[in-house]
Amino acid sequence: MPKAPYSFSFSKFKAIIFEQKEVEIAEATLQQMEESFQFLKSFAEDKVIYGVNTGFGPMAQYKIPKESLKDLQYNLIRSHASGTGNVLAEDEVKAVMLARLQTLSLGKSGISSEVILLMKELINREIYPVIFEHGGVGASGDLVQLAHLALVLIGEGEVFYEGNRTSTSEVFKAENLTPISIQGREGLALINGTSVMTGIGLLNFYYAERLLNWSIFTSSLINELVSAYDDHFSAELNEAKLHQGQQEVAQQMREFLTGSQLIKKREAHLYKSVEEEFFKEKVQEYYSLRCVPQILGPIKDTYQNVLKVLLNEVNSANDNPIVDAEKQQVYHGGNFHGDYIALEMDKMRLATTKLSMLVERQLNYLMNAKLNDIFPPFLNHGKLGLNFGMQGAQFSAVSTTAENQTLSSSMYIHSISNNNDNQDIVSMGTNAATLTKRVINNSFEVLSVQVISLVQAAYYLEEVEKLAPKTRSILQQLQNFIPKIEEDQPLYSLIEETIHYLKNHDPYEN
């Protein structure tokens, strides 16, 4: 296990990505890198070291003459800058650079500090290399995507700068930046590793955790609006089961609902002498309402384990070979393999899809008057038959949930041998990370329809004063931009606004 606390924490990641805190590099880090660089330089003089004086992959049997060593590194970068598909968003590229900078700064790659100093400048000056989603198989790490980062570091390729996609050379000239001059194995060190899947994975965790917090809130609010019983999220019931996530979700629900005048006590209604033979009121709520801690609990536990693995990875040397200046040795192996991240991204994607399924079922309960026996069909504030309420938006939520279900098949087990069978089993980690990103974004779409619908339900009840103080406060924030929908209108812009709000706010900020 790595020493705690991590040298690079999630709070530090958030501060740089979302709060624009500048990257700083300690003098001790630069010194450590210089020692590693100088050791490898002398160590490789009379030895065969993979990627320093040999070809790469299945061509590692070819020794490269001294006069061609620099060309070897440049050729590697240029040939592998072959990505396809959508380009990564600026925050994703920033996360990728940050992850790569961190792992290289450990001094296990035998490269000069010049590399991370330029990377620091790119991050702090908001210069983002053009990197594509498709290309890496996640075995020697994210070779293709990281080659696009390396291409920029040598002054080539393209970047996003001040909102425009521009040639790197123009931006470097404008910013008075000097490209790195490749030395030793720096081309290989830049593209070998898991920093793309890890950087995207850390962003995925940030948004998935926010998604989960909102789902706990909406689950609490729907229980409140339909006057559910309180025992299903009680400490006593949930502590009878030993899962931490379940207990924490139940506690969060209790915190949201403290002071509610709508939530019912079972002892006040059913735990007394009852003469009726048929109860119009349900004795227990539908599973999507009363099993929230049991459904969201394992999702919460999964997310926490994902974060642990991501932090282990970003604080690790994920390169090959590994240079150990202290022991005066170079170790060849497979630390660039992305299986840890691939598996965790698959787990996160599966868990997030289940979250979206819970949201969709709760939405269905709200829409169906025969189920809830409280609200009009589709939460329609207009004239039944003439108006449609949230009916159209429900279709979007259902179709998006269905897409999530299809996207949740595993990438981790979809290895395809390639690279002349040198890479005969691979992780597909970056594919797993980008698919997970899509499922998280999809889930915000589903959640936004639920949030708009819950606000409509609250407008219908007109009992805001009976809500718990916390749920009432958050509801009022939502009502600032979500109106009571009485006349049919296109809802796509309201859905987009709601998605933006949910992704950029946390219910615990209220």
Side-chain angles (χ1 to χ4, degrees):
M1 293 291 291
K3 295 177 182 178
Y6 296 106
S7 60
F8 184 76
S9 64
F10 188 62
S11 60
K12 188 178 288 187
F13 173 82
K14 289 192 293 185
I16 294 170
I17 297 296
F18 297 104
E19 299 164 22
Q20 284 68 53
K21 181 177 170 59
E22 290 202 340
V23 175
E24 297 175 355
I25 301 173
E27 192 61 40
T29 297
L30 301 177
Q31 180 63 33
Q32 182 175 276
M33 290 188 68
E34 186 61 26
E35 290 172 6
S36 175
F37 174 66
Q38 293 299 337
F39 159 69
L40 181 61
K41 187 176 179 181
S42 61
F43 188 79
E45 280 292 329
D46 58 352
K47 298 175 184 67
V48 174
I49 305 294
Y50 172 75
V52 175
N53 48 26
T54 74
F56 301 109
M59 293 183 286
Q61 271 61 40
Y62 292 92
K63 188 175 181 183
I64 308 299
K66 277 190 175 182
E67 63 271 16
S68 299
L69 293 182
K70 186 169 287 235
D71 288 339
L72 173 71
Q73 301 296 323
Y74 281 99
N75 289 345
L76 178 69
I77 292 170
R78 290 166 180 153
S79 67
H80 282 62
S82 306
T84 60
N86 296 326
V87 296
L88 297 182
E90 290 185 356
D91 61 344
E92 293 171 316
V93 176
K94 190 175 185 180
V96 167
M97 286 196 288
L98 200 50
R100 198 76 202 130
L101 189 155
Q102 168 61 19
T103 189
L104 292 175
S105 72
L106 298 175
K108 300 288 187 181
S109 293
I111 65 172
S112 71
S113 57
E114 178 190 20
V115 175
I116 66 167
L117 288 172
L118 180 55
M119 217 177 295
K120 179 196 79 166
E121 290 302 316
L122 295 183
I123 295 171
N124 291 345
R125 301 190 198 194
E126 299 183 342
I127 301 168
Y128 303 111
V130 172
I131 300 176
F132 298 86
E133 280 192 354
H134 293 161
V137 298
S140 291
D142 305 307
L143 293 174
V144 169
Q145 286 100 335
L146 287 174
H148 284 276
L149 167 58
L151 195 66
V152 168
L153 293 173
I154 63 173
E156 301 176 17
E158 295 178 289
V159 296
F160 286 105
Y161 176 67
E162 296 182 345
N164 299 310
R165 183 170 170 173
T166 315
S167 73
T168 302
S169 58
E170 288 181 29
V171 174
F172 275 27
K173 185 177 180 181
E175 287 284 332
N176 197 28
L177 290 170
T178 303
I180 63 170
S181 178
I182 293 288
Q183 305 177 72
R185 64 176 298 273
E186 288 176 348
L188 181 62
L190 281 168
I191 76 171
N192 244 359
T194 60
S195 299
V196 177
M197 63 181 83
T198 305
I200 295 173
L202 285 164
L203 277 177
N204 284 347
F205 174 81
Y206 176 85
Y207 286 111
E209 185 180 48
R210 179 155 292 180
L211 184 70
L212 176 61
N213 287 342
W214 276 114
S215 185
I216 295 169
F217 163 73
T218 58
S219 295
S220 302
L221 182 58
I222 191 173
N223 271 283
E224 188 172 24
L225 291 175
V226 302
S227 295
Y229 290 104
D230 69 346
D231 48 353
H232 65 83
F233 55 86
S234 66
E236 293 79 5
L237 181 134
N238 288 282
E239 287 173 5
K241 209 165 182 181
L242 300 182
H243 300 297
Q244 183 177 346
Q246 175 179 334
Q247 294 177 8
E248 289 179 357
V249 169
Q251 180 182 347
Q252 287 174 271
M253 292 183 72
R254 293 194 299 274
E255 290 169 356
F256 278 127
L257 295 171
T258 297
S260 173
Q261 298 174 50
L262 293 176
I263 290 290
K264 292 185 299 196
K265 298 280 185 187
R266 190 170 295 275
E267 55 267 28
H269 292 263
L270 294 177
Y271 286 180
K272 60 183 181 179
S273 179
V274 179
E275 305 262 339
E276 297 97 316
E277 292 187 4
F278 174 79
F279 309 113
K280 185 175 187 294
E281 225 176 67
K282 283 184 71 68
V283 175
Q284 297 187 112
E285 291 81 13
Y286 288 96
Y287 283 23
S288 61
L289 274 67
R290 70 176 157 102
C291 296
V292 171
Q294 293 82 0
I295 295 169
L296 294 184
I299 295 172
K300 189 179 185 74
D301 284 338
T302 298
Y303 286 174
Q304 287 305 312
N305 191 65
V306 168
L307 178 60
K308 176 184 173 184
V309 172
L310 286 166
L311 289 175
N312 281 347
E313 189 73 22
V314 79
N315 284 284
S316 299
N318 44 79
D319 196 354
N320 181 58
I322 295 297
V323 178
D324 192 330
E326 185 179 345
K327 293 188 176 180
Q328 299 283 289
Q329 191 56 265
V330 175
Y331 301 98
H332 292 70
N335 274 7
F336 49 37
H337 210 282
D339 263 32
Y340 267 106
I341 303 302
L343 180 56
E344 294 308 311
M345 287 297 99
D346 275 6
K347 291 178 187 176
M348 174 175 270
R349 191 164 65 260
L350 198 69
T352 305
T353 291
K354 188 60 177 283
L355 183 152
S356 71
M357 291 165 62
L358 174 66
V359 171
E360 187 278 325
R361 287 293 83 196
Q362 292 173 345
L363 177 64
N364 182 69
Y365 176 83
L366 281 174
M367 296 290 178
N368 193 332
K370 294 177 182 177
L371 292 181
N372 63 62
D373 201 26
I374 300 172
F375 306 111
F378 306 110
L379 297 165
N380 189 347
H381 290 289
K383 184 175 180 181
L384 295 183
L386 177 65
N387 297 110
F388 294 90
M390 295 295 295
Q391 180 176 322
Q394 185 187 17
F395 289 133
S396 293
V398 171
S399 70
T400 307
T401 303
E403 181 175 271
N404 278 358
Q405 291 170 317
T406 295
L407 291 173
S408 290
S409 60
S410 174
M411 283 302 310
Y412 173 70
I413 61 168
H414 277 80
S415 175
I416 300 176
S417 181
N418 69 111
N419 194 229
N420 279 6
D421 285 329
N422 171 55
Q423 297 184 14
D424 57 348
I425 183 164
V426 302
S427 74
M428 298 296 181
T430 299
N431 283 356
T434 55
L435 281 177
T436 303
K437 172 185 69 175
R438 182 167 170 180
V439 165
I440 291 168
N441 288 335
N442 281 354
S443 298
F444 273 107
E445 294 177 17
V446 180
L447 184 73
S448 71
V449 176
Q450 185 198 34
V451 165
I452 296 169
S453 300
L454 283 166
V455 172
Q456 300 312 305
Y459 282 128
Y460 180 82
L461 286 182
E462 297 180 345
E463 294 184 302
V464 176
E465 71 284 351
K466 293 184 178 180
L467 292 171
K470 281 193 176 180
T471 54
R472 182 168 67 244
S473 173
I474 297 168
L475 179 67
Q476 287 169 343
Q477 294 294 318
L478 295 168
Q479 287 176 326
N480 285 337
F481 67 91
I482 301 175
K484 183 177 181 180
I485 301 170
E486 296 180 283
E487 296 294 331
D488 290 327
Q489 57 185 273
L491 294 177
Y492 66 89
S493 59
L494 179 59
I495 292 171
E496 288 176 351
E497 185 178 3
T498 305
I499 292 168
H500 184 267
Y501 182 88
L502 297 175
K503 292 187 77 172
N504 289 280
H505 296 81
D506 193 286
Y508 289 99
E509 294 171 355
N510 286 274

